[in-house]
Amino acid sequence: PRVELAWAAKAHQHAQVYFNLISSVEPRFLKLTKVDDRIYEEFRRTFRNLRVDVLDPEELKSEAAK
């Protein structure tokens, strides 16, 4: 249990650091990997009409979304 607690504490600390880093950069300038642009282009090709600024859980569960 002590090892698991230490691991969880360290993971939480790392998560806080990464969250602070990605929160301090304007999203349009944030690049996490070398292929971010390709990932986004493929996402947009697959989900052309999906609004990512406001996600509605009910809309995502609809038959059309499935």
Side-chain angles (χ1 to χ4, degrees):
R2 292 172 68 192
V3 172
E4 290 175 358
L5 183 59
W7 181 88
K10 197 64 163 174
H12 182 262
Q13 181 183 21
H14 281 279
Q16 284 182 315
V17 169
Y18 288 118
F19 179 78
N20 289 338
L21 284 171
I22 64 173
S23 298
S24 65
V25 178
E26 196 169 329
R28 66 178 166 197
F29 299 119
L30 184 64
K31 298 290 182 193
L32 300 176
T33 70
K34 295 177 182 179
V35 294
D36 285 353
D37 293 332
R38 276 192 359 213
I39 292 169
Y40 182 72
E41 288 170 10
E42 183 63 30
F43 173 83
R44 275 291 157 212
R45 241 190 316 277
T46 304
F47 302 102
R48 295 181 197 278
N49 300 321
L50 180 64
R51 290 185 53 207
V52 293
D53 56 340
V54 179
L55 292 177
D56 178 11
E58 294 306 314
E59 184 179 326
L60 294 174
K61 294 177 187 176
S62 72
E63 284 301 315
K66 292 179 183 177

